[in-house]
Amino acid sequence: RKEVEQDPGPFNVPEGATVAFNCTYSNSASQSFFWYRQDCRKEPKLLMSVYSSGNEDGRFTAQLNRASQYISLLIRDSKLSDSATYLCAVTTDSWGKLQFGAGTQVVVTP
Amino acid sequence: AAGVIQSPRHLIKEKRETATLKCYPIPRHDTVYWYQQGPGQDPQFLISFYEKMQSDKGSIPDRFSAQQFSDYHSELNMSSLELGDSALYFCASSSTASAFPGTQVTYEQYFGPGTRLTVT
């Protein structure tokens, strides 16, 4: 069982709609949490860090629930360019190596 | 803004050959991470360096070695290549700060474009 789990999707989302998905982690000592976006055969691009208080960056909102050990990502007013795989990443020590989930695929349709 | 640079971008090798992958971190970043991403898989941590010293080690085969140089660039050396080594190899960089003696805080990691290694 992976330490970081995500629903692989795909989430098929009409343009302009809202989509949300979660990522669960098993290690209660996990320290830092991130969402990355990865397009096919390209590098993961940092979307946002996830803080205990939750954070928002434009159309993207991330939340952390330490009690239930999950993080979430919500995308509002979806654009065609939001189509990608969204990787959840977690660190469990201060040296910072990332443990990734398998990714959630989002497909935004016209 | 300057990003992480990796070279080469594509590499084709035969079984049992050696390969060297290079990574140039973002300026003023002192920490480098290497990840391997196989087809259809998520990136797996291999090894990391902070201030030219190995800081952490993951699922890196004994056939692989790496180091970080005085200019903070890093090289991943891969020997006795196997078909299963075919993958995307990403380098990521970040900065690390000392919180108090014996502890440290690392910040967000930014990934390079990767090296696609094909072993035939």
Side-chain angles (χ1 to χ4, degrees):
Chain A
R1 183 170 177 260
K2 279 178 71 70
E3 292 201 29
V4 180
E5 298 215 40
Q6 297 182 248
D7 181 342
F11 285 67
N12 294 297
V13 186
E15 198 174 3
T18 295
V19 61
F21 41 89
N22 294 339
C23 161
T24 59
Y25 59 94
S26 59
N27 189 336
S28 59
S30 296
Q31 298 187 3
S32 301
F33 307 87
F34 307 92
W35 283 107
Y36 282 82
R37 170 204 169 116
Q38 186 171 35
D39 295 291
C40 189
R41 300 163 82 88
K42 297 212 171 163
E43 75 272 25
K45 288 193 192 298
L46 180 65
L47 191 62
M48 55 203 308
S49 304
V50 188
Y51 305 116
S52 297
S53 54
N55 47 306
E56 186 174 312
D57 183 1
R59 298 181 293 106
F60 297 83
T61 301
Q63 299 276 356
L64 166 63
N65 185 316
R66 284 195 182 270
S68 300
Q69 296 185 198
Y70 73 88
I71 66 171
S72 63
L73 182 67
L74 181 145
I75 308 173
R76 282 186 301 278
D77 187 22
S78 297
K79 312 288 185 195
L80 295 176
S81 57
D82 294 333
S83 298
T85 295
Y86 291 83
L87 294 167
C88 162
V90 169
T91 68
T92 54
D93 61 48
S94 57
W95 286 117
K97 68 172 179 285
L98 295 172
Q99 288 185 284
F100 285 92
T104 294
Q105 186 184 9
V106 171
V107 179
V108 182
T109 55
Chain B
V4 178
I5 297 171
Q6 289 188 247
S7 67
R9 296 291 307 277
H10 302 273
L11 194 55
I12 299 175
K13 291 285 186 177
E14 294 188 357
K15 281 196 305 185
R16 292 180 288 278
E17 285 193 316
T18 62
T20 297
L21 278 52
K22 296 186 179 182
C23 169
Y24 297 85
I26 291 170
R28 291 183 296 283
H29 279 191
D30 50 19
T31 307
V32 167
Y33 304 81
W34 286 97
Y35 294 86
Q36 177 192 59
Q37 187 173 25
Q41 299 181 351
D42 51 280
Q44 295 292 314
F45 171 72
L46 292 177
I47 195 166
S48 63
F49 293 87
Y50 165 60
E51 284 292 343
K52 292 147 279 185
M53 300 285 289
Q54 180 182 306
S55 54
D56 202 354
K57 193 172 179 181
S59 49
I60 183 169
D62 292 340
R63 300 176 288 108
F64 294 5
S65 65
Q67 57 183 320
Q68 186 179 34
F69 294 85
S70 58
D71 64 351
Y72 295 103
H73 95 271
S74 178
E75 295 183 5
L76 177 66
N77 299 294
M78 311 160 74
S79 62
S80 303
L81 286 168
E82 302 174 356
L83 295 178
D85 296 328
S86 295
L88 267 169
Y89 289 83
F90 291 112
C91 169
S93 76
S94 71
S95 57
T96 298
S98 294
F100 43 88
T103 68
Q104 57 287 321
V105 175
T106 52
Y107 298 97
E108 290 94 347
Q109 291 179 37
Y110 296 88
F111 282 72
T115 295
R116 181 171 298 280
L117 173 66
T118 303
V119 181
T120 61

